[in-house]
Amino acid sequence: MLDIQIQAPFPILQGKGAPESEQTLVLITGPDFDNANGPFSHLDAATGGALGRAVAISRFKGQRDQSCVLLAPCAAVARIVLIGCGPDEELDIPTMEAAGGQAAKAVHDTTHADLAFAGRCAEFAAHAAFGATIGRYRFDLYHTEEAENAPQLQRLHLGVDNPDALREEWESLRAVAQGVFRARDLVSEPPNILNPPEFARRIETLRDLGVEVEILNAATLRELGFGALLGVAQGSDQEARVAIMRYRGSEEAPIAFIGKGVTFDSGGISIKPAAGMDEMKTDMGGAAAVVGALEAVARRKAKTHVIGVVGLVENMLSGNAQRPGDVVRSYAGKTIEVLNTDAEGRLVLADVLAYAKERFQPRLMVDLATLTGAIVVSLGHVRAGLFSTDDTLANALFDAGEETGEALWRMPMGKAYDRQLRSDIADMKNITGRPGSSITAAQFLARFVGDTPWAHLDIAGVAWRSDAAPQCPKGATGFGVRLLDALVRRHEQSDRAA
Ligand code: BES
Ligand code: MN
Ligand code: ZN
């Protein structure tokens, strides 16, 4: 992880002293960058006007996504980079994180750089550091040869007016970054390595952070009656697991996070087409987000009681695989006609939701799942689907999404959708027709939740990206970690107020 060092402002940006030798300086700034007496003007003076001349001939106006790079503007300075973040009034956390990510990218070929801020940007310095850190993520476990243009950047110095306050804020954001990295690592791992037992072993490492971890193996799940989850797992040589994580940051009833952890989804007997099937290693993105969120809250020592429960299975084909037409008995006792073995996520979640609700009586439950291709049709790769029967929880999650940039969009629910789940032979079937099928999937889950405030996040479109963004290289996004962490923060605040 990028090493972030927080210190007092760089003298050169205050018009004091000369540049350090070979200094690489990045300045994040809005459109009013050329304010008299601001850091820009001092830097311009120190470079004998080179900076001003460069900006004049570039298109740099301090707007979002703009940047301007100067190489060797004077003898002592190796490089100056200006990153635009738009006007102060429009500055928010996602913008600042994107600017931080862009900053790290602009200096990726040096080992360390100095990062400074102009105007209101300084308030967001910790988030710029966060953006730089998570933008710098790489999953390199299986490269045995170093790539030619592998990033060199190791350390960022942040020069700010209030280093002590910022250090504290960074401490807690760094914990969240570690949670994001944990989730991305899990999603990036290939499915031959990260099978359900291995996933459970990795979760056990959370014990080092003070998280209680309990693993239920297949025999226990059978005794407990996890019939829907085990039906999905039965075609695989890899045994199913359910992992329970508990972080006790208060004595209140817990908040429960539930995750779909299908380590590979072949579709089962209702097999998927070959093209793109490899992407189904990401079908455990919900579980990864739950694990990452527990890592984040434990590392930053949140004052809330949080439970994570993830259902870990592999959906495969074999002589013993579940068939279309099978009827299974769920943990809740309700029977399900499995008409399509590729609608497996809801079968896994049905048991895990019912179990978590009964055992922990949480004050609320949020599940995350790469549940349907239909949500990708609805919302693309931009927002995740938010389904909830509880307006307060839905609004809190929506707001947390806007704040963190892990954006959601609320989808409808209702009886007319629920009705479509009727089966001729069992209490319900696991598929409906294609119209509105993300909603009917959510409706299926709702049947296992009862009256606990609950929300379901369908993250099928956002768990993986095929193009790079400033805060995220292409590949696993870790979507959900920051959102869940933000939800926990809200509860910490309201618990303190109460
Ligand atoms: N894991 C998939 C959904 C998915 C699709 C995740 C694309 C990520 C990207 C899920 O298990 C699935 O196969 N859903 C089916 C349901 C259908 C059979 C009712 C789908 O969406 O096609
Ligand atoms: Mn599937
Ligand atoms: Zn799936």
Side-chain angles (χ1 to χ4, degrees):
M1 188 175 286
L2 199 56
D3 178 13
I4 302 286
Q5 298 282 334
I6 297 168
Q7 57 184 74
F10 307 114
I12 184 179
L13 295 181
Q14 300 192 304
K16 300 177 200 153
E20 293 156 35
S21 67
E22 295 297 291
Q23 195 168 13
T24 291
L25 264 159
V26 186
L27 180 64
I28 300 184
T29 179
D32 55 353
F33 59 90
D34 49 1
N35 265 351
N37 236 4
F40 179 91
S41 63
H42 294 305
L43 204 49
D44 187 38
T47 57
L51 188 57
R53 287 194 297 278
V55 166
I57 57 175
S58 80
R59 293 185 183 179
F60 186 80
K61 299 260 184 306
Q63 296 298 343
R64 286 185 64 153
D65 299 328
Q66 289 186 325
S67 63
C68 177
V69 182
L70 268 87
L71 297 175
C74 62
V77 177
R79 176 181 347 199
I80 295 174
V81 180
L82 302 176
I83 304 279
C85 61
D88 279 2
E89 315 82 74
E90 287 168 29
L91 199 54
D92 57 11
I93 290 171
T95 305
M96 207 54 204
E97 289 178 359
Q102 263 182 292
K105 205 168 201 167
V107 295
H108 76 281
D109 52 350
T110 72
T111 55
H112 61 279
D114 295 337
L115 184 55
F117 309 90
R120 253 195 87 201
C121 299
E123 286 172 38
F124 293 86
H127 290 283
F130 184 80
T133 302
I134 65 174
R136 171 73 185 74
Y137 174 82
R138 292 291 174 282
F139 185 75
D140 263 345
L141 221 49
Y142 301 106
H143 282 133
T144 63
E145 292 163 21
E146 177 109 353
E148 249 174 61
N149 54 357
Q152 306 283 304
L153 185 66
Q154 281 162 16
R155 198 167 353 110
L156 270 185
H157 297 267
L158 265 54
V160 289
D161 289 331
N162 50 351
D164 289 335
L166 197 66
R167 260 182 223 118
E168 203 171 301
E169 196 181 346
W170 171 242
E171 186 94 18
S172 114
L173 277 178
R174 186 170 192 277
V176 181
Q178 285 172 297
V180 172
F181 277 34
R182 162 87 70 157
R184 288 182 184 172
D185 282 348
L186 288 167
V187 173
S188 303
E189 283 284 6
N192 59 327
I193 304 288
L194 195 79
N195 51 48
E198 174 62 16
F199 200 144
R201 281 191 288 275
R202 302 229 178 159
I203 290 172
E204 287 184 293
T205 65
L206 285 179
R207 286 188 185 129
D208 301 342
L209 305 175
V211 177
E212 298 163 34
V213 178
E214 185 181 335
I215 308 293
L216 309 179
N217 63 22
T220 307
L221 294 171
R222 199 159 298 121
E223 274 167 35
L224 288 170
F226 279 62
L229 180 147
L230 288 169
V232 177
Q234 79 188 29
S236 171
D237 288 348
Q238 301 295 334
E239 264 197 19
R241 297 282 186 271
V242 166
I244 300 156
M245 296 150 263
R246 181 189 279 232
Y247 169 76
R248 292 182 204 253
S250 85
E251 301 300 313
E252 312 271 328
I255 294 177
F257 297 143
I258 312 297
K260 169 179 173 182
V262 176
T263 61
F264 185 72
D265 180 12
S266 69
I269 299 294
S270 314
I271 192 168
K272 288 182 179 297
M277 201 200 273
D278 56 291
E279 206 183 297
M280 283 303 123
K281 74 169 187 178
T282 68
D283 211 16
M284 30 57 72
V290 170
V291 176
L294 269 114
E295 167 145 13
V297 297
R299 281 195 187 271
R300 68 175 182 78
K301 302 192 170 60
K303 302 238 173 325
T304 302
H305 187 180
V306 184
I307 303 266
V309 192
V310 295
L312 306 172
V313 300
E314 186 181 43
N315 189 20
M316 292 292 268
L317 308 81
S318 78
N320 188 43
Q322 173 161 264
R323 291 150 290 254
D326 282 4
V327 173
V328 296
R329 186 177 300 275
S330 67
Y331 179 83
K334 301 177 205 244
T335 56
I336 304 163
E337 181 185 17
V338 179
L339 286 176
N340 188 319
T341 64
D342 198 12
E344 85 297 341
R346 64 198 76 182
L347 299 170
V348 172
L349 288 173
D351 280 355
V352 177
L353 283 165
Y355 179 76
K357 171 190 157 64
E358 181 190 283
R359 178 164 166 198
F360 299 109
Q361 307 196 334
R363 60 164 124 167
L364 63 88
M365 290 201 283
V366 181
D367 78 72
L368 292 91
T370 47
L371 201 64
T372 66
I375 201 69
V376 190
V377 176
S378 303
L379 301 175
H381 301 288
V382 177
R383 286 176 183 264
L386 161 61
F387 301 82
S388 183
T389 44
D390 186 287
D391 290 344
T392 310
L393 177 57
N395 291 338
L397 279 164
F398 181 85
D399 292 346
E402 297 301 295
E403 175 191 315
T404 60
E406 293 190 331
L408 306 175
W409 198 255
R410 189 164 177 190
M411 302 284 287
M413 295 188 70
K415 275 213 178 66
Y417 295 107
D418 176 79
R419 260 199 295 278
Q420 299 174 36
L421 293 165
R422 278 190 201 142
S423 156
D424 292 333
I425 186 175
D427 296 336
M428 70 197 86
K429 56 187 181 185
N430 78 327
I431 51 162
T432 60
R434 275 160 53 95
S437 56
S438 299
I439 308 171
T440 52
Q443 223 55 71
F444 182 97
L445 301 180
R447 290 185 174 214
F448 296 88
V449 170
D451 49 11
T452 304
W454 157 81
H456 155 61
L457 307 180
D458 193 337
I459 62 169
V462 293
W464 185 262
R465 3 182 2 127
S466 42
D467 58 333
Q471 315 90 309
C472 188
K474 70 179 189 186
T477 61
F479 188 101
V481 174
R482 301 159 62 195
L483 194 66
L484 296 182
D485 176 69
L487 186 71
V488 170
R489 280 176 205 253
R490 280 163 185 270
H491 277 271
E492 286 178 276
Q493 278 157 11
S494 57
D495 283 358
R496 252 203 312 275

